[in-house]
């Protein structure tokens, strides 16, 4: 409220006032948001979401291939090679299975092509078959 006011003004979404004798509202910090009028605090963005600006009423959702695995983050992390996040708002990445691989930030794993294989999970590339051996396009978990 201001000096001589007959009423108090509620804080707008994206702002808060943590004390009863405040004369202004503060912006929510990065990593936090508040979507209510009259907030006394801002909430951390949950896993799978982030906020990189102050004074926001909502958190942003991580895009495919990215994630946040703890609350209150200001940016999403990219899935490492050998893992993926197939949906928006992911809180982690899944590992590729044997016979498949992925580059960083991918939404899925790719099958090894003919002549290559991958006998381990969580890898970012396939191995070439040695001379005298081959693989066909069948997810090539082991060299034939």
């Amino acid at each position: 409220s201001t000096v001589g006011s007959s009423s108090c003004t509620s804080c707008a979404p994206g702002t808060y006032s943590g004390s009863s004798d405040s004369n202004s509202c503060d912006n929510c910090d990065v990593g936090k948001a508040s979507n209510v009028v009259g907030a006394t605090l801002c909430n951390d963005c949950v896993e799978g979401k982030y906020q990189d600006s102050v004074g926001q009423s909502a958190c942003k959702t991580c895009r495919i291939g990215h994630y946040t695995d703890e609350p209150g983050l200001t940016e999403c992390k990219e899935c490492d090679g050998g893992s993926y996040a197939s949906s928006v708002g992911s809180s982690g990445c899944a590992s590729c299975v044997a016979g498949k691989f992925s580059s960083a930030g991918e939404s899925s794993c790719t099958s090894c092509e003919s002549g290559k294989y991958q006998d381990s999970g969580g890898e970012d590339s396939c191995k070439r078959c040695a001379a005298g051996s081959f693989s066909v396009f069948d997810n090539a978990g082991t060299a034939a």
Side-chain angles (χ1 to χ4, degrees):
S1 75
T2 57
V3 175
S5 289
S6 59
S7 65
C8 294
T9 303
S10 295
C11 293
T15 66
Y16 73 101
S17 176
S19 64
S20 59
D21 59 353
S22 180
N23 60 1
S24 66
C25 298
D26 295 314
N27 283 326
C28 293
D29 290 330
V30 292
K32 298 175 179 284
S34 174
N35 65 353
V36 298
V37 173
T40 58
L41 58 84
C42 297
N43 297 310
D44 283 342
C45 296
V46 297
E47 293 177 1
K49 294 183 179 279
Y50 72 103
Q51 184 48 258
D52 56 0
S53 301
V54 298
Q56 300 301 305
S57 61
C59 295
K60 299 174 183 177
T61 302
C62 293
R63 67 183 194 266
I64 290 173
H66 295 73
Y67 71 100
T68 58
D69 56 355
E70 56 186 290
L73 294 183
T74 59
E75 64 183 359
C76 298
K77 303 172 187 177
E78 184 176 62
C79 292
D80 292 333
S83 66
Y84 67 99
S86 60
S87 61
V88 297
S90 293
S91 59
C93 303
S95 289
C96 295
V97 297
K100 296 190 175 199
F101 72 99
S102 75
S103 300
E106 294 293 326
S107 62
S108 63
C109 299
T110 303
S111 295
C112 294
E113 61 188 55
S114 294
K116 295 185 177 183
Y117 74 102
Q118 183 48 260
D119 53 357
S120 300
E123 298 295 330
D124 62 2
S125 64
C126 294
K127 305 172 188 176
R128 291 187 183 280
C129 293
S133 66
F134 71 96
S135 72
V136 292
F137 183 75
D138 67 350
N139 294 340
T142 57

